[in-house]
Amino acid sequence: MPVITVLPSAVADQIAAGEVVERPASVVKELVENALDAGATAISLAIEEGGRTLIRVSDDGCGMDADDAVLCLARHGTSKIRSSADLAAVHTFGFRGEALPAIASVSRLELETARSDGAGTRVVSAGGAPAVATPTQRRCGTTVSVANLFFNVPARAKFLRGARSEWRAISDALVTLALVRRDIRLDVTHDGRRAFAASPAATLRARIAELWRAEYANSLLAVDDVSGVIHVSGLVERPADVGTRTRRTFIAVNGRAIRDAGIVRAAEAAFRSTIPAGTRPSLFLDVTLPAGDVDVNVHPAKAEVRFQDRWTVERAVERAVRAALGNFDAGAGFGRTFFVTSELGAPVQVDRDVLQPIDAPPLFATAADAHAAQAQIAPYDAPPSHADPTPSAHPAATEAIPALTQLRRTYIMFEHEDGVVLIDQHSAHERVLYETFLGQFERGDAPSQRLLLPLTIDLAPAELDALERHRVDFERVGYEVAPFGGSTVAVYAVPAPHRRFDAERCLRDTLASLTGDRVASTAARHEKMLATMACKAAVKAGDSLSDDEMRALFIALRDTRLPAHDVHGRATIVQLAWSEVERRFGRA
Ligand SMILES: Nc1ncnc2c1ncn2[C@@H]1O[C@H](COP(=O)(O)OP(=O)(O)O)[C@@H](O)[C@H]1O
Ligand SMILES: [Mg+2]
């Protein structure tokens, strides 16, 4: 027969401590959150030996009277909620009434507190023994000192890391708190030396400038977007900077810093095609939504939340970050401004379609074969449900653009008010085609050319397999391919993004790059395929471009969402500022 006893509260507190008090950093977090909940505007901390010997947190908050000073160490003693109904709309960091008793049960805790300057209370407790209160004098506010963490639980003490690594965890926790509550003054000493100080900041950017460097803060892009009831704001790294420095992620939901892999993944998805695969951007995001749509009581240390509708939250985050990347002045300190008409540019006739004509025959090999190829092509005869392939959308127009010069058959150079600009013709065309393909793919209106004589292509088994897997996707971009027996396929129709497009090579190369590839999400698979197609279909370094082609590329790049990056996240544009030129010539 089992004999059940209800555990003494000291034991219950130690068990709870296992969840709340993992290491010194978790004590710091709980104590600072209590100070914030008490309305503190300035908090100072003294830490010794990475918090192993001492954590002292002093605040100028509302303080406690003598009764509460004792009660706060009792299990589930909280002033923040009264009933389960309050849980639904809890706006304080704490609400479980567990932290102080849990911390007290595994340390020597001393608490001094006063509701106003003058008469206060001092409470001492060792290892969760009943607290003793004595009167004391102090200013309004509270000081909690936690000494010798885990002194009475050797099994837990063993798991403490060295002072250096515990200190690192504490400073991470403090940085997070400083980012959540930017209005608070923080002063921190470690082993008697000033380690960390932050004065109240008006904005997230200002706080980041204080915690790291102004230069770092200024390099981040602002996010600010509303989807329905969800507001996403904050700062993210520019694609060009991703991977070049420490990665930092900070996610707050309704003013509470949390860990949330789903939100991070959604934000990262917005970066796809702007940064190299495998690199991850720094993110500082605040997500705000109605309190009823999120449950904050799912984790003992409140480090995670549960969303009623996670999918919608993640889409809102992705959309917001995407919008931020689309708006930014990209590249090394310049961006769309370079495409804005300047006095340097004289109005010229621009045939926008010269690089994206759909009336011209695709070339299957070299220019010399063009004539032969043309003979194979019949007029496009798609069913009427397809969009009209006649290029009428962008007739030749007069636009002011700068004079463009091709260098080394690789770069397009032009001058601008602020400096000399080089565009990489391949990268730029790749970006243009990628966005074109993506749009056509989403709308299902990719223009296609029917071939009079089908093209037969021999494929390796892995390529055949890739074609089978991506068949529908290839159809969506304008290829019509069917098995022709054995390892041969017949191509009946091909996309026609521009005159130089080599449909056969593009198909082969794209297939080759997709072999053995099993990208998880459908969207990611499509994006990868379209990126590969764009890369294969783009003009190459070494292709000589006519004036019309350069102008068309210039305008098409200007009109993309992310002009400064190719699909691999490399720069499409490089600038040499006049100020730099002047400095080099000693004119400045
Ligand atoms: N720094 C502080 N200033 C004022 N009151 C505090 C402070 N720290 C704790 N308290 C009081 O003690 C109670 C218990 O704190 P805690 O155990 O952290 O639980 P919770 O924060 O979940 O309520 C709080 O609800 C609050 O009333
Ligand atoms: Mg608390």
Side-chain angles (χ1 to χ4, degrees):
M1 247 329 227
V3 179
I4 295 177
T5 44
V6 174
L7 293 170
S9 65
V11 181
D13 286 338
Q14 276 199 10
I15 291 171
E19 296 179 324
V20 184
V21 189
E22 233 183 299
R23 58 195 301 189
S26 28
V27 174
V28 168
K29 172 180 181 282
E30 293 295 339
L31 296 183
V32 173
E33 287 186 349
N34 276 348
L36 292 170
D37 284 345
T41 60
I43 302 174
S44 52
L45 292 94
I47 310 288
E48 270 162 37
E49 295 180 45
R52 296 168 52 121
T53 48
L54 181 73
I55 295 165
R56 175 178 294 138
V57 178
S58 305
D59 67 59
D60 62 352
C62 65
M64 286 177 272
D65 62 22
D67 290 346
D68 282 352
V70 175
L71 263 182
C72 73
L73 295 180
R75 190 137 205 240
H76 301 309
T78 180
S79 58
K80 299 170 193 175
I81 57 172
R82 294 256 172 270
S83 67
S84 62
D86 296 343
L87 254 186
V90 63
H91 60 276
T92 48
F93 289 107
F95 52 80
R96 298 165 70 104
E98 279 182 336
L100 284 182
I103 295 165
S105 74
V106 293
S107 69
R108 297 180 198 280
L109 186 143
E110 186 188 304
L111 182 146
E112 280 191 6
T113 186
R115 304 272 307 156
S116 54
D117 292 355
T121 312
R122 178 164 181 269
V123 175
V124 212
S125 142
V132 188
T134 49
T136 188
Q137 293 285 311
R138 64 157 285 142
R139 303 191 56 140
C140 179
T142 304
T143 300
V144 179
S145 307
V146 175
N148 304 335
L149 190 63
F150 300 138
F151 79 97
N152 55 344
V153 216
R156 304 286 313 277
K158 252 191 355 216
F159 284 98
L160 283 177
R161 308 270 205 87
R164 283 253 308 261
S165 116
E166 294 300 347
W167 165 249
R168 209 172 309 125
I170 289 174
S171 51
D172 285 350
L174 288 172
V175 162
T176 302
L177 286 159
L179 289 172
V180 182
R181 285 294 302 273
R182 315 190 263 264
D183 53 332
I184 297 298
R185 177 180 304 284
L186 270 178
D187 281 287
V188 186
T189 62
H190 186 215
D191 293 336
R193 276 190 301 274
R194 188 157 202 221
F196 192 98
S199 47
T203 61
L204 175 62
R205 206 187 281 279
R207 194 61 145 194
I208 289 175
E210 229 191 346
L211 293 174
W212 294 289
R213 301 180 326 275
E215 190 197 10
Y216 176 68
N218 292 332
S219 75
L220 302 170
L221 299 171
V223 176
D224 193 7
D225 189 55
V226 176
S227 314
V229 293
I230 305 169
H231 182 200
V232 182
S233 62
L235 296 165
V236 296
E237 214 168 8
R238 284 166 197 269
D241 295 332
V242 173
T244 64
R245 49 199 183 182
T246 310
R247 171 168 170 260
R248 302 188 169 99
T249 51
F250 163 79
I251 308 289
V253 172
N254 288 353
R256 206 180 279 279
I258 55 155
R259 291 191 300 255
D260 194 299
I263 289 184
V264 170
R265 236 181 288 117
E268 288 176 351
F271 274 82
R272 261 203 310 258
S273 96
T274 71
I275 56 175
T279 59
R280 307 182 70 186
S282 287
L283 310 165
F284 301 89
L285 294 175
D286 283 317
V287 180
T288 319
L289 72 173
D293 292 354
V294 49
D295 184 357
V296 296
N297 187 29
V298 295
H299 188 276
K302 292 153 285 170
E304 287 163 21
V305 295
R306 182 181 296 141
F307 296 106
Q308 202 126 82
D309 180 359
R310 163 168 289 282
W311 190 86
T312 303
V313 173
E314 290 180 2
R315 293 296 69 75
V317 168
E318 182 173 348
R319 188 184 110 130
V321 174
R322 225 174 246 278
L325 298 180
N327 288 337
F328 76 118
D329 270 353
F334 77 101
R336 283 180 195 280
T337 51
F338 271 68
F339 293 109
V340 171
T341 313
S342 73
E343 298 97 71
L344 298 168
V348 284
Q349 276 281 116
V350 179
D351 176 3
R352 280 164 172 269
D353 290 321
V354 70
L355 272 173
Q356 320 196 333
I358 28 205
D359 54 348
L363 306 184
F364 292 114
T366 60
D369 297 334
H371 214 71
Q374 193 152 18
Q376 297 188 338
I377 292 166
Y380 178 82
D381 62 349
S385 66
H386 269 261
D388 178 6
T390 320
S392 54
H394 299 296
T398 304
E399 286 209 43
I401 64 170
L404 305 170
T405 309
Q406 196 185 25
L407 305 178
R408 301 185 85 187
R409 294 188 176 181
T410 302
Y411 308 108
I412 298 168
M413 182 192 71
F414 62 95
E415 76 172 284
H416 181 271
E417 281 154 356
D418 298 338
V420 184
V421 185
L422 295 177
I423 295 177
D424 181 299
Q425 65 188 40
H426 171 70
S427 299
H429 199 201
E430 188 181 282
R431 165 54 60 187
V432 168
L433 288 176
Y434 174 69
E435 294 197 8
T436 307
F437 290 163
L438 196 62
Q440 292 168 348
F441 189 86
E442 278 162 5
R443 294 186 305 269
D445 63 358
S448 177
Q449 299 261 359
R450 184 156 292 279
L451 306 179
L452 190 60
L453 296 176
L455 198 69
T456 52
I457 309 181
D458 261 342
L459 294 177
E463 290 166 352
L464 266 177
D465 182 55
L467 179 62
E468 233 11 84
R469 271 187 286 122
H470 291 273
R471 173 79 144 268
V472 186
D473 305 337
F474 276 106
E475 271 164 22
R476 243 182 130 70
V477 299
Y479 278 104
E480 201 185 307
V481 188
F484 200 69
S487 58
T488 308
V489 294
V491 183
Y492 296 99
V494 297
H498 62 87
R499 274 181 206 128
R500 295 165 180 273
F501 181 68
D502 180 339
E504 178 181 347
R505 254 201 80 189
C506 180
L507 179 64
R508 279 184 177 287
D509 291 353
T510 306
L511 278 175
S513 78
L514 294 171
T515 59
D517 188 60
R518 307 216 174 242
V519 181
S521 86
T522 317
R525 202 184 71 221
H526 292 160
E527 283 173 13
K528 165 136 202 246
M529 174 185 156
L530 298 176
T532 310
M533 265 193 71
C535 179
K536 303 304 175 195
V539 295
K540 304 278 180 292
D543 289 348
S544 142
L545 298 184
S546 69
D547 283 353
D548 268 354
E549 286 174 325
M550 284 193 281
R551 278 187 218 123
L553 184 54
F554 176 90
I555 287 174
L557 182 65
R558 180 193 66 188
D559 294 344
T560 58
R561 209 169 48 78
L562 296 173
H565 301 277
D566 72 6
V567 298
H568 310 289
R570 291 182 301 237
T572 52
I573 309 168
V574 163
Q575 180 224 352
L576 182 59
W578 292 133
S579 55
E580 173 65 11
V581 175
E582 279 154 15
R583 197 184 60 74
R584 299 250 196 131
F585 282 117
R587 284 175 177 273

